[in-house]
Each structure stands twice: as structure tokens, then as C-alpha cells.
């Protein structure tokens, strides 16, 4: 059924109820919805060619045959690709669909989630990153293993991170991207997703983090260009800035449930700080409650931190964070406000308030605000520009997915596989990292029916709530590990377990008792009815903090090697050869030495005697080689970064020196002053923006 047919039914429905007709919202003329034409397809083909070109170029110029080269891009990135990648990893297709939909539904309030992140991406570079760099870690679970010893916290966080990635980030971005593709191309949703994931997997598997970061930089340019163009068309269509401010409150659908608030815009639609008791975003919860999940996401989540660790120096990492922070000002103007304009232009469709009608329009009885951005693209833009915006949505989807795939494979390889296969060669780690990406692609496709069934209506609401229930305990563990030297493994572990248990109980209650619709009475349990999820995040942080403090004080203090260069106060300690090897690894190593390892493809491992386990894992040259390779096999090895120089085959293997390979915290004074001055300028801009819209 076309949108024009639905609009006609709205008019008839309205006449039946009120006897008179209200002018319908702007909609597609008879003949159906606008679709992509040849020019749009050409733009899409050019886009895909560009992205694959950038991916292969980055593969050619970077060393992908080592752990550092594949997972940390050889720690050689400059500030601009780091900043662009931070932004692109964060702004997925879920933002274009969900944030614009939230803007259509409740006004500019949800932008505070983005602006809250601006502060924390800066805290990452100035406060947290120096600790990660001084500790010489590759993954966040690895930092916890170094800081607390043992491996149960490391494994716990690694598994939890993979769970969060697969069931929140991947599912949301895939749903949003598939929704848009289905709307624009009328393709089968599975065909769309499989095609996208296949292209995404090619350069993620082959190129590692370097390919992901460089393609993210290209995706960011495309996203900004396309979204700025659509913003211009949107404001021109609605009559400019003043028209948006004055007319948004009048965008009420002609059919809605009587004697209810359904379909009526909020009075505080243009405020980001709202009533502390009765609003959807209470201001104390926004300031304090939202900051707790934000600290996890921006300061200790593998997807984000991995990009900053790839910077060649600390100054470049700071520059990247500043660029990402400046870019995060834009979503208010290029995503949220166009979503609000979409409500004004297509009020009866986007802001539908009758469940039966919403089900007819977009298949979702909860509401159709999630279609706001896609409607603008397909209705407002001319041929060619529709293809560009299609590329923008695909860019947002692919940049998020590649980031998650690469980071998830890093965590699986370095924290899970390497814990159980402690004698794994560097060659084996590279193969496992790539295979795990392919496994994630399969899981993503299999997860799609679940995402489809949820229909997205509650999905975006649940993303913020899930963050508030699962992330505060992790935030507390990292924060205490950074800033309280007395925190030990027992206190951290039991704080984490108790906090996650309480959070999961609240999350289950949320799924069992969903929030009522605008015309329904709220008969949920009191803890759901009166404790907003942002307030619950604050409460959960304190619930986690108590066992961390009491458990740490009641048990033995951490060893010196668990403190040196692993906290804010000890980050500048002199570098000493340390045995960053867990007890489990030590016992497993003795057993593994007795096993003779052979390879199915003729891969020969050369044994290394002594030496530090962690250092051997990061060694620049793998000790494996393959004999008598055909040209096809050689090409395949090149694609995956497994190339070996011929002269290395006869070269003796030299054990690495027992030293820790750690990036320097030194900064050139002139560059340090430049980034610090930019920090002050940005904080001034941020204060003005928040003050203006508060």
C-alpha cells in the first residue's frame, strides 16, 4: 500500500469522525513513493568503489602481519583519521533513524546523549589514555588483568563486551540500515544485509584496524556532506529557523486517541534540561546518570579506545578527540532538527497517534517517528542526491559495523583465545582474529529476525536503558582501578558481580513490564514507575561501589607490579621488565611446551626460549612460514596481510629482548600548547551551547 493511499484513508477516517476534512500532511502523489533512479544507482556504485578503493589502499600501505599492525594499525595514525573514525564509529545508522525519530517525537532533548559524549571523549585523551599507553595494553580486558591480576575479571568483561556488541550495537545498526534500504530500494531485507555485511567484512578481515580507520575517515566526509545537504533542503522546505521554532508545537496529527496526550508535542521540546520528576529526561539524571554509561562508552569501551591507541603519539590522540568532539556538535542540526521538520511536513504519517493507523503506515503500532529521516530523504531530495543520502546511510551502517567487528575480534583473540591457547603463534592469532569477524557476520544475519520482530519501536528506547543497567558496574571498576591504588581483584570482582546482578534484574523487569503507551494507565511496579532509568544508573553505581571498597579494604593490598604504570598516579613510573603473565598462563605454558604443534598447511613454528610471553606476542616478525606456495595462495596471503619475505625463511629466529614495548607519553611542547588551547576554546563553545538550549 502506498503512502498516498494511506493518506486518503486518513482523510476519510477523519471525515467519518468529525464530519469535515483537515488538509492532509504533504505526501507522495498518486503513483506511489519515490524510489531510486539510474542516477542514484550510479552515485551508489561510485560510493562503493571509493570505499573499497580506500580499503585496499590502506591495506597496501600498512603492515598487517603483526598483532600491533592488524589490531592497532601499527600505532601510526595521525590525528585526523583518528578523530574521523571516533565520530564514524559512534554515529551509526541507528543515530540517523533513532535520533531523528526521537527529535520528531520529543524535540531536541535526546541530543544531550551526544553532547554528554563530547566531554568524555576529551576526558579519554587527557586523563584515561595516558594510563592505557603507559601500561602498554591492546585491549581493555587486558588492562584489567594487568591491574588486578588473575583472569576472571578479564574473561568476565571480555564475554560481557561481546554480548553488548552483538545484542545492542550490531542489532540496532543493522535494523536501522535495513529499514532504510527496504524503504528506498524495496529490496529483500536479508539480501540487503548480506550484501552490506559481505562488503564490510572484506576490508575488515583483510585490512585490520588501519583499513577500518581510513575507510571511516572517508565515510565521515560522505556522512557530513549528505546530511548537511538534507538539512539545507529541510529548512528551505519548512520556511527556515523561525518557522521550525514556531510551528513545531502545532504539528498535531488529525487522528489521535481522545482525552490523551497522544500526538501532542511536548511543551519543553526545545529544552535539553527538563523537569526532574515528571519528564522523559530529568535534568539530574541527564547530568549525573547519563555520565556513568558515557564514561564506559567513551573511556573504556574497546571500540573507542582502540582508535585512540592507534594514534602515533599522545598529542595526535588528543587532536583526534578534539576533532570528534567538534563533529559531535553537528547531530543537533543535521539529524535531530530535520527529524522535527519531518514531523511538521508529514504530520499524519510520522507523528501518527492511533495504534491501528500506525500499524497500517509503518507496521508498528507504537509509532512511526523512526521513519522521519527516511521520509525526508525519499520525498525532498532530487535524483542523484537521493543516491548520495543512501550512501550516507550505508556509510553510517558500515562504519559502525566495521568498528565493532574489528574491536570484537581483538577482544576475542587477545583476551579469550590467547588465554586458552597461551602458546599460540602470531600467525595463529592473525587467522583467529579474521575468522572471528566472519563468525560475527553470520551471527549478525541470524540475529536479524529477532530485530525485525521487535520492529524498532521500543528498540531505541531499550538501547539507552540497557546501557544504564549493564554499564555502570563496569564504569566503577575501571574508575576505581585508575584512581584508587588500594582497589584489588577481590573487591573489583564482587562489586562487578553484584552490580551486574542488580542491573540484570532491573533490565528483566523492564522487558516484562514495558512502558505504557500515552493512552494507557501505568500499573508497573513502583521501582519501574518512579525510578527513571537515568536515576537507576546512579543508584547502581553506588551499589557496585560499596562491595568494591569494602572487599578491597578487607583483603590484601595489590602487588607493586599491579600498581606501577597502571594508575593515574603511577603512570610516569620508570619502565621495568615485568612479568605480565597470569598464574594460569604460567601453568599452561609448562604443559604446552610438551606438545608438538604441527600445521595442516605446512606452517612451521619456531620455538622461542625464555622471554616475556606478552612481548613475544607483540613481536614484529612471526616465526611461521609457508613453503611452495602457489600464486593463488600467495595472493590470498597478501590479502590477509600474511605475507612473508623470502629472505626471512632462512634467517635465524632471534628471541625478543625482555623489555616492554610502550608508547611514549612525551609531547612536543608547541603541539601540546596548541591542543590545550583548542581544548579551552572547545569547552567554551560547549558551555555556550548547553547554556543556550538548557
Amino acid at each position: 500500500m502506498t503512502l498516498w493511499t494511506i493518506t486518503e484513508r486518513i482523510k476519510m477516517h477523519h471525515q467519518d469522525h468529525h464530519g469535515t476534512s483537515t488538509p492532509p500532511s504533504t505526501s507522495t502523489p498518486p503513483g506511489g513513493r519515490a524510489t531510486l533512479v539510474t542516477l542514484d544507482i550510479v552515485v551508489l556504485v561510485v560510493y562503493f568503489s571509493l570505499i573499497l578503493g580506500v580499503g585496499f589502499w590502506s591495506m597496501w600501505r600498512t603492515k598487517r602481519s603483526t598483532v600491533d599492525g592488524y589490531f592497532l594499525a601499527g600505532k601510526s595514525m595521525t590525528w585526523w583519521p583518528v578523530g574521523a573514525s571516533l565520530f564514524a564509529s559512534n554515529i551509526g545508522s541507528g543515530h540517523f533513524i533513532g535520533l531523528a525519530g526521537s527529535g520528531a517525537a520529543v524535540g531536541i532533548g535526546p541530543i544531550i546523549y551526544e553532547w554528554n559524549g563530547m566531554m568524555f571523549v576529551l576526558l579519554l585523551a587527557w586523563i584515561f589514555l595516558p594510563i592505557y599507553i603507559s601500561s602498554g595494553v591492546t585491549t581493555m580486558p587486558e588492562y584489567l588483568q594487568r591491574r588486578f591480576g588473575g583472569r576472571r575479571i578479564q574473561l568476565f568483561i571480555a564475554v560481557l563486551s561481546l554480548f553488548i556488541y552483538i545484542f545492542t550495537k550490531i542489532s540496532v545498526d543493522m535494523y536501522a540500515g535495513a529499514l532504510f534500504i527496504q524503504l528506498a530500494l524495496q529490496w529483500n531485507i536479508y539480501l540487503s544485509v548480506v550484501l552490506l555485511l559481505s562488503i564490510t567484512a572484506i576490508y575488515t578481515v583483510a585490512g585490520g584496524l588501519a583499513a577500518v580507520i581510513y575507510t571511516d575517515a572517508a565515510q565521515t566526509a560522505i556522512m557530513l556532506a549528505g546530511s548537511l545537504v538534507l538539512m539545507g533542503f529541510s529548512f528551505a522546505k519548512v520556511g527556515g529557523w523561525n518557522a521550525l521554532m514556531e510551528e513545531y508545537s502545532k504539528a498535531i496529527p488529525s487522528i489521535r486517541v481522545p482525552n490523551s496526550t497522544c500526538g501532542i508535542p511536548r511543551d519543553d521540546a526545545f529544552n535539553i534540561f527538563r523537569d526532574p520528576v515528571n519528564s522523559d529526561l530529568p535534568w539530574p539524571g541527564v547530568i549525573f546518570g547519563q555520565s556513568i554509561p558515557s564514561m564506559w562508552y567513551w573511556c573504556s569501551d574497546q571500540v573507542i579506545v582502540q582508535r585512540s591507541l592507534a594514534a602515533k603519539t599522545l598529542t595526535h590522540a588528543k587532536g583526534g578527540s578534539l576533532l570528534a568532539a567538534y563533529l559531535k556538535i553537528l547531530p543537533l542540526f543535521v539529524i535531530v532538527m530535520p527529524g522535527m521538520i519531518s514531523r511538521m511536513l508529514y504530520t499524519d504519517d510520522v507523528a501518527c497517534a492511533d495504534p491501528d493507523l500506525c500499524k497500517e503506515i509503518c507496521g508498528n503500532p507504537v509509532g512511526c517517528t523512526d521513519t522521519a529521516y527516511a521520509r525526508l530523504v525519499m520525498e525532498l531530495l532530487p535524483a542523484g542526491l537521493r543516491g548520495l543520502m543512501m550512501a550516507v546511510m550505508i556509510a553510517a551502517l558500515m562504519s559502525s559495523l566495521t568498528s565493532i567487528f574489528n574491536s570484537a575480534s581483538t577482544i576475542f583473540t587477545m583476551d579469550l583465545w590467547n588465554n586458552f591457547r597461551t602458546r599460540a603463534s602470531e600467525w595463529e592469532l592473525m587467522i583467529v582474529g579474521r575468522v572471528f569477524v566472519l563468525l560475527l557476520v553470520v551471527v549478525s544475519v541470524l540475529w536479524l529476525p529477532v530485530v525485525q520482530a521487535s520492529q524498532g519501536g521500543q528498540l531505541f528506547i531499550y538501547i539507552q536503558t540497557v546501557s544504564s543497567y549493564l554499564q555502570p558496574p563496569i564504569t566503577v571498576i575501571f574508575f576505581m582501578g585508575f584512581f584508587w591504588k588500594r582497589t584489588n581483584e577481590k573487591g573489583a570482582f564482587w562489586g562487578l558481580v553484584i552490580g551486574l546482578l542488580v542491573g540484570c534484574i532491573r533490565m528483566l523487569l523492564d522487558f516484562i513490564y514495558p512502558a505504557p503507551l500515552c493512552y494507557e494507565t501505568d500499573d508497573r511496579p513502583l521501582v519501574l514507575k518512579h525510578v527513571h532509568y537515568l536515576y537507576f544508573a546512579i543508584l547502581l553505581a553506588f551499589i557496585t561501589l560499596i562491595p568494591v571498597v569494602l572487599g578491597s579494604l578487607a583483603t590484601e593490598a595489590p602487588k607493586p607490579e599491579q600498581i606501577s604504570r597502571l594508575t593515574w598516579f603511577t603512570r610516569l613510573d620508570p619502565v621495568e621488565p615485568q612479568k605480565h603473565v597470569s598464574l594460569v598462563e604460567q601453568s599452561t605454558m609448562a604443559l604446552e611446551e610438551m606438545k608438538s604443534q604441527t600445521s595442516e598447511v605446512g606452517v612451521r613454528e619456531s620455538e622461542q626460549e625464555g622471554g616475556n610471553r606478552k612481548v613475544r606476542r607483540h613481536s614484529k616478525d612471526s616465526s611461521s612460514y609457508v613453503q611452495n606456495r602457489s600464486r593463488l595462495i600467495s595472493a590470498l596471503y597478501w590479502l590477509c596481510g600474511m605475507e612473508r619475505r623470502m629472505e626471512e625463511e632462512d634467517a635465524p629466529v632471534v628471541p625478543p629482548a625482555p623489555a616492554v614495548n610502550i608508547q611514549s607519553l612525551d609531547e612536543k611542547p608547541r603541539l601540546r600548547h596548541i591542543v590545550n588551547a583548542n581544548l579551552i576554546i572547545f569547552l567554551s563553545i560547549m558551555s555556550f551551547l548547553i547554556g543556550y538550549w538548557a
Side-chain angles (χ1 to χ4, degrees), residues 367-390:
C368 293
T369 52
D370 277 353
T371 64
Y373 202 82
R375 281 299 300 272
L376 282 180
V377 172
M378 300 311 294
E379 306 276 352
L380 279 190
L381 295 181
L385 287 179
R386 276 200 299 271
L388 174 65
M389 283 312 298
M390 194 71 205

Side-chain angles (χ1 to χ4, degrees), residues 9-11 13-14 253-257 348 352-354 357:
R9 292 188 61 168
I10 289 172
K11 291 194 328 193
H13 195 298
H14 190 62
S254 54
I255 301 170
R256 58 187 196 85
V257 179
D348 283 332
C352 70
D354 181 79
L357 193 60

Side-chain angles (χ1 to χ4, degrees), residues 90-101 114 172-173 176 328 335 460:
N90 172 235
I91 302 290
S93 52
H95 278 71
F96 282 96
I97 297 292
L99 202 54
E114 298 306 303
V172 169
D173 282 330
K328 281 185 72 65
I335 299 178
F460 293 102

Side-chain angles (χ1 to χ4, degrees), residues 612-668:
N612 187 292
R613 281 289 306 130
K614 291 287 181 183
V615 175
R616 188 189 64 78
R617 194 183 65 196
H618 286 285
S619 65
K620 288 187 176 179
D621 295 310
S622 174
S623 57
S624 309
Y625 71 88
V626 177
Q627 294 175 319
N628 302 324
R629 293 176 298 181
S630 68
R631 289 184 180 180
L632 180 63
I633 295 296
S634 297
L636 185 63
Y637 283 150
W638 176 85
L639 184 66
C640 288
M642 295 298 196
E643 212 172 14
R644 293 288 177 272
R645 293 188 302 274
M646 294 300 293
E647 59 268 23
E648 285 179 357
E649 295 184 0
D650 298 319
V653 177
V654 182
V660 184
N661 178 25
I662 290 176
Q663 227 172 331
S664 172
L665 294 180
D666 294 337
E667 298 180 82
K668 293 180 180 178

Side-chain angles (χ1 to χ4, degrees), residues 126-127 130-131 134-135 563-574 665:
W126 266 264
I127 304 294
I131 303 172
S134 68
S135 64
I563 301 297
S564 179
R565 299 185 71 86
L566 291 163
T567 72
W568 172 255
F569 308 103
T570 60
R571 70 191 186 284
L572 300 176
D573 283 4
L665 294 180

Side-chain angles (χ1 to χ4, degrees), residues 382-629:
L385 287 179
R386 276 200 299 271
L388 174 65
M389 283 312 298
M390 194 71 205
V392 166
M393 293 301 299
I394 296 172
L397 173 68
M398 288 174 65
S399 62
S400 294
L401 288 182
T402 52
S403 302
I404 295 163
F405 287 165
N406 185 263
S407 298
S409 84
T410 307
I411 286 179
F412 179 82
T413 306
M414 307 308 286
D415 294 306
L416 296 179
W417 188 269
N418 208 47
N419 253 299
F420 295 106
R421 289 272 300 159
T422 54
R423 298 286 289 174
S425 67
E426 195 159 38
W427 175 278
E428 181 180 327
L429 294 179
M430 296 293 91
I431 293 290
V432 168
R434 287 160 165 86
V435 170
F436 186 72
V437 172
L438 298 177
L439 184 66
L440 270 182
V441 170
V442 174
V443 171
S444 302
V445 174
L446 295 178
W447 181 242
L448 194 60
V450 182
V451 182
Q452 262 189 302
S454 71
Q455 281 293 316
Q458 299 298 315
L459 192 61
F460 293 102
I461 299 167
Y462 282 151
I463 292 312
Q464 294 303 332
T465 57
V466 165
S467 299
S468 299
Y469 303 150
L470 295 182
Q471 293 166 7
I474 309 175
T475 302
V476 170
I477 299 308
F478 273 98
F479 187 84
M480 296 301 284
F482 291 144
F483 298 110
W484 191 40
K485 292 192 279 188
R486 187 64 178 76
T487 313
N488 65 13
E489 195 270 349
K490 292 183 176 64
F493 178 76
W494 288 109
L496 192 61
V497 169
I498 292 169
L500 284 171
L501 188 63
V502 173
C504 286
I505 291 172
R506 167 70 196 247
M507 186 171 68
L508 274 176
L509 288 174
D510 250 16
F511 279 103
I512 295 169
Y513 302 100
L517 299 175
C518 51
Y519 55 86
E520 296 174 340
T521 54
D522 192 347
D523 54 2
R524 295 176 298 165
L526 292 179
V527 69
L528 299 182
K529 188 175 179 179
H530 296 302
V531 182
H532 193 278
Y533 64 85
L534 292 176
Y535 288 144
F536 184 81
I538 302 172
L539 185 64
L540 186 56
F542 279 107
I543 290 172
T544 306
L545 187 63
I546 292 168
V548 171
V549 173
L550 294 180
S552 296
L553 291 175
T555 52
E556 69 278 2
K559 298 172 184 175
E561 62 266 24
Q562 293 170 351
I563 301 297
S564 179
R565 299 185 71 86
L566 291 163
T567 72
W568 172 255
F569 308 103
T570 60
R571 70 191 186 284
L572 300 176
D573 283 4
V575 182
E576 296 176 5
Q578 296 171 0
K579 293 183 180 178
H580 295 308
V581 183
S582 68
L583 295 174
V584 178
E585 285 178 322
Q586 290 174 8
S587 60
T588 312
M589 281 166 61
L591 292 171
E592 292 278 358
E593 282 175 0
M594 293 186 289
K595 297 178 182 178
S596 60
Q597 299 183 353
T598 59
S599 173
E600 295 176 6
V601 292
V603 179
R604 191 175 68 204
E605 293 185 17
S606 54
E607 299 287 328
Q608 291 186 354
E609 299 175 3
N612 187 292
R613 281 289 306 130
K614 291 287 181 183
V615 175
R616 188 189 64 78
R617 194 183 65 196
H618 286 285
S619 65
K620 288 187 176 179
D621 295 310
S622 174
S623 57
S624 309
Y625 71 88
V626 177
Q627 294 175 319
N628 302 324
R629 293 176 298 181

